[in-house]
Amino acid sequence: MSEIRVLVVDDDPGARALHGRFIAETPGFDLVGTAGTGAAALAQVTGDVDLLLLDMRLPDISGVEVLHRLRAVDAAGPDVLVISSSRDQVTVRQALAAHVAGYLIKPFTQEVLRRRLEEYAARRSARDGSEQDRPLAQGEVDRLLATGTIRVSDRTEERPPALSAGPTGGLPKGLADVTLARVMAALDPVTSRSASEVATACALSRATARRYLEHLVATGVIDLAHRYGKRGRPQVLYRLAPSPDA
């Protein structure tokens, strides 16, 4: 199977570089370009692009308008994975109405994006292969009616059960409730901290701390941000996510 060709569209140069690197480091995907405006994205979309990573907030036209223009030209493609900090219902609904392949809320880790891309590649392979013609079971029909093929990442709806739930409460293999509680205790809802700072506070290795932090990000308990310096990779910072009721 040929590599999936991706165009990253984001008005933030740092985000374009970061997400472009994420794409380049994901097997089966090929970064073919980046764009900082909606007009530039539309100009670059040709038969050489299979998937757009599209931000909703662009300086000239909105991501929703980019979606509408894409569908007006060719309703069959390319596919679009929205990557945006926009979480309001109007924007999300408009994006879903344009039949996007997914909606991933910023910020996110490389691991989260990699999983989404792998899921997309699997769906694309099934869609393009013989599986698209096989009869669906009733459960599959029900899921299709309820959700379509779209997964919307809304961390407030993915909040995990209580930390004391034990090994059957949903923690990935290798993670412990006690250590998870220590990591959370080292975080603050206002002040962001790096993985190294959390590791030091919890007397853990940096790799171990990052495993717990990535789990907490994926389940919506904490948020992450990127601090861009003049050189090198951006520093990833973590803080407790605000309560949905705040």
Side-chain angles (χ1 to χ4, degrees), residues 3-228:
E3 290 190 323
I4 296 171
R5 299 160 297 185
V6 183
L7 174 68
V8 175
V9 185
D10 199 300
D11 66 329
D12 184 338
R16 288 200 302 273
L18 181 67
H19 299 153
R21 179 172 65 81
F22 288 174
I23 292 294
E25 294 178 358
T26 302
F29 290 82
D30 178 31
L31 178 68
V32 296
T34 64
T37 66
L42 291 168
Q44 293 186 57
V45 173
T46 65
D48 294 330
V49 176
D50 301 311
L51 176 68
L52 267 71
L53 262 62
L54 177 64
D55 190 11
M56 290 287 97
R57 298 178 178 179
L58 299 171
D60 52 350
I61 58 176
S62 70
V64 170
E65 180 62 22
V66 172
L67 280 168
H68 288 167
R69 295 188 188 185
L70 282 174
R71 298 306 181 230
V73 173
D74 183 2
D79 293 324
V80 175
L81 172 61
V82 174
I83 50 170
S84 179
S85 58
S86 298
R87 304 178 63 168
D88 61 281
Q89 292 189 35
V90 172
T91 300
V92 174
R93 288 181 184 276
Q94 288 177 330
L96 297 185
H99 304 292
V100 297
Y103 198 112
L104 187 57
I105 296 173
K106 293 179 180 179
F108 46 81
T109 65
Q110 182 172 9
E111 177 62 21
V112 168
L113 178 60
R114 182 187 65 79
R115 287 200 301 266
R116 284 302 174 89
L117 291 173
E118 289 175 348
E119 291 167 1
Y120 163 76
R123 293 197 305 269
R124 179 185 175 90
S125 177
R127 181 187 68 194
D128 295 342
S130 59
E131 185 175 341
Q132 63 180 336
D133 296 323
R134 71 175 177 82
L136 298 178
Q138 182 62 56
E140 293 172 313
V141 173
D142 293 341
R143 285 193 296 274
L144 184 61
L145 288 172
T147 65
T149 59
I150 299 168
R151 293 185 58 189
V152 179
S153 175
D154 186 338
R155 292 190 301 261
T156 62
E157 295 179 358
E158 297 175 355
R159 197 168 295 278
L163 295 178
S164 58
T168 60
L171 280 182
K173 183 178 180 181
L175 301 188
D177 291 324
V178 174
T179 306
L180 187 64
R182 285 166 53 200
V183 170
M184 286 193 62
L187 294 167
D188 185 85
V190 177
T191 304
S192 298
R193 294 188 170 90
S194 67
S196 296
E197 290 171 328
V198 173
T200 300
C202 299
L204 300 171
S205 69
R206 187 172 182 274
T208 299
R210 285 196 63 181
R211 287 180 57 210
Y212 282 89
L213 290 167
E214 289 176 356
H215 168 70
L216 290 171
V217 169
T219 53
V221 176
I222 63 176
D223 288 332
L224 64 79
H226 297 99
R227 178 186 295 162
Y228 297 98

